């Protein structure tokens, strides 16, 4: 079997001294020395051409074998993708049938349940027969919120962090997951896109990276307030789009946080003054 590509072979110079013995065999048969060199060159060419044909045929067969193997592997990969997609659709169908009355478009849900911490709490809950079940709880504002049943049944469950108290890191964890869930449970695409644009605008706001932490937190407070109000307005004449930010309300959110900060500091100062010993 050929180990080297004969297409790359270079014809030897049979007139050289190193080929004297080969030429001599032909000279002994009646050839002149130059005729013997030319004959050796012709014989080498014939043999090289035959080697090229065998080599090329072998390469074609190897290429065909590789292509068949790649095609078979692609078919196996496609089959696995189809099986995975079928399983995903079946699982989605089961969940959709199971939670269709619960996860209808427009229902409010805290960001907390989509953060790393919220997901971890749900996984660690042990008092629920179906860990992925969700239940609806009415709030004092009249909004029905969907939360993991584990958080309701487990008395030791970690308290829910309100949207306005989330960090930006937690916000960035939760937002993409909430978008995925919206689409999974068939929210109207225009509402999904509205939320995407809303959250993108908050990220792009000039206060997002302000050295004033109250300004950064004001954007999260504004997000919490407006998203709740938007849910409350669904189906009413007062419904509006979240996409365009209201900077006046963002400033008001910052003032609200500033007032809360001043109130806390005042209470601390009063407490310290009462605790201080009289001189």
């Amino acid at each position: 079997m050929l180990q080297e590509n004969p297409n790359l072979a270079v014809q030897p110079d049979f007139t050289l001294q190193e080929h004297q013995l080969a030429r001599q065999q032909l000279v002994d048969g009646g050839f002149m020395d130059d005729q013997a060199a030319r004959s050796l060159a012709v014989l080498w060419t014939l043999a090289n051409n035959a080697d090229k044909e065998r080599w090329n045929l072998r390469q074609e067969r190897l290429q065909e074998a590789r292509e068949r193997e790649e095609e078979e592997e692609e078919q196996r990969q496609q089959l696995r993708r189809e099986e995975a997609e079928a399983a995903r659709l079946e699982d989605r169908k089961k969940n959709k049938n199971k939670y269709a009355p619960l996860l209808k478009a427009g229902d409010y849900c805290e960001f907390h349940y989509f953060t790393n911490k919220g997901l971890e709490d749900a996984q660690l809950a042990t008092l629920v027969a179906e860990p992925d079940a969700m239940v609806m709880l009415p709030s004092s504002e009249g909004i029905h919120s969907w939360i993991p049943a584990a958080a309701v049944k487990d008395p030791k469950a970690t308290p829910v962090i309100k949207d306005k108290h989330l960090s930006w890191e937690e916000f960035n964890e939760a937002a993409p997951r909430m978008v995925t869930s919206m689409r999974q449970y068939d929210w109207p695409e225009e509402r999904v896109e509205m939320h995407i644009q809303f959250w993108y605008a908050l990220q792009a706001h000039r206060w997002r990276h302000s050295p004033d932490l109250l300004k950064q937190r004001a954007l999260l407070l504004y997000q919490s307030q407006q998203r709740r109000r938007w849910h409350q307005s669904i189906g009413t004449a007062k419904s509006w789009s979240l996409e365009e930010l209201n900077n006046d309300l963002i400033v008001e959110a910052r003032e609200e946080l500033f007032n809360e900060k001043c109130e806390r500091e005042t209470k601390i100062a009063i407490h310290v003054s009462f605790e201080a010993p009289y001189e």
Side-chain angles (χ1 to χ4, degrees), residues 6 15 36-37 46 63 75 80 93 95-96 99 106 146 165 170 194 199 257:
T15 64
L46 292 173
Q63 180 63 26
Q75 290 175 351
R80 283 194 284 268
K93 181 179 178 182
N95 287 334
K96 185 175 179 180
Y99 303 128
W146 297 105
H165 297 309
E170 290 169 324
M194 178 193 68
W199 293 327
L257 292 172

Side-chain angles (χ1 to χ4, degrees), residues 38-277:
R38 287 195 298 273
S39 296
L40 289 173
V42 170
L43 292 173
W44 183 92
T45 299
L46 292 173
N48 181 253
N49 287 340
D51 288 344
K52 288 178 180 179
E53 289 183 8
R54 287 192 293 270
W55 175 271
N56 293 337
L57 180 60
R58 179 167 174 263
Q59 297 308 308
E60 289 175 4
R61 290 175 177 173
L62 290 174
Q63 180 63 26
E64 291 174 357
R66 283 193 293 268
E67 289 177 356
R68 282 196 303 271
E69 184 177 350
E70 291 174 359
E71 184 177 351
E72 291 172 358
E73 177 60 24
E74 176 60 27
Q75 290 175 351
R76 288 192 292 268
Q77 293 285 353
Q78 181 62 26
L79 180 60
R80 283 194 284 268
R81 287 193 292 268
E82 291 174 357
E83 290 174 345
E85 179 65 10
R88 186 188 70 81
L89 292 175
E90 180 63 23
D91 184 63
R92 178 178 176 181
K93 181 179 178 182
K94 290 178 181 178
N95 287 334
K96 185 175 179 180
N97 291 338
K98 188 174 184 179
Y99 303 128
L102 305 179
L103 295 169
K104 59 184 178 181
D107 288 331
Y108 179 83
C109 186
E110 294 282 1
F111 258 37
H112 169 81
Y113 299 108
F114 296 89
T115 64
N116 291 345
K117 178 61 175 159
L119 293 174
E120 181 183 349
D121 291 342
Q123 290 174 350
L124 293 177
T126 58
L127 300 181
V128 183
E130 295 181 295
D132 58 346
M134 297 188 75
V135 296
M136 179 175 67
L137 289 182
S139 66
S140 58
E141 295 89 351
I143 300 176
H144 290 82
S145 302
W146 297 105
I147 70 173
V152 179
K153 293 190 175 184
D154 186 353
K156 297 180 181 179
T158 303
V160 176
I161 300 175
K162 297 294 185 182
D163 282 8
K164 65 180 181 180
H165 297 309
L166 292 175
S167 66
W168 273 104
E169 181 180 2
E170 290 169 324
F171 174 88
N172 290 332
E173 293 169 358
R177 291 168 179 158
M178 182 169 280
V179 168
T180 299
S181 292
M182 287 174 177
R183 288 188 168 130
Q184 180 181 1
Y185 293 109
D186 298 326
W187 279 47
E189 185 58 30
E190 62 271 15
R191 290 186 178 180
V192 178
E193 186 62 27
M194 178 193 68
H195 280 82
I196 293 174
Q197 295 304 319
F198 174 48
W199 293 327
Y200 176 80
L202 289 173
Q203 290 280 17
H205 194 276
R206 67 182 186 278
W207 282 8
R208 169 63 184 88
H209 298 287
S210 170
D212 182 351
L213 295 182
L214 289 181
K215 289 183 176 180
Q216 292 192 35
R217 288 184 53 207
L219 295 174
L220 293 172
L221 175 57
Y222 172 84
Q223 189 277 151
S224 173
Q225 293 172 336
Q226 296 309 301
R227 198 162 66 87
R228 279 186 172 275
R229 290 169 183 168
W230 179 81
H231 278 278
Q232 289 174 321
S233 72
I234 293 177
T236 70
K238 297 181 180 180
S239 182
W240 81 101
S241 173
L242 291 168
E243 283 189 45
E244 186 174 349
L245 302 185
N246 187 322
N247 283 304
D248 291 338
L249 294 179
I250 293 176
V251 171
E252 288 182 10
R254 198 271 181 194
E255 292 176 355
E256 179 179 334
L257 292 172
F258 178 77
N259 292 336
E260 290 178 357
K261 179 175 178 287
C262 291
E263 185 177 346
R264 286 194 304 272
E265 291 175 349
T266 300
K267 289 181 179 179
I268 293 173
I270 294 174
H271 178 74
V272 171
S273 66
F274 277 111
E275 293 290 331

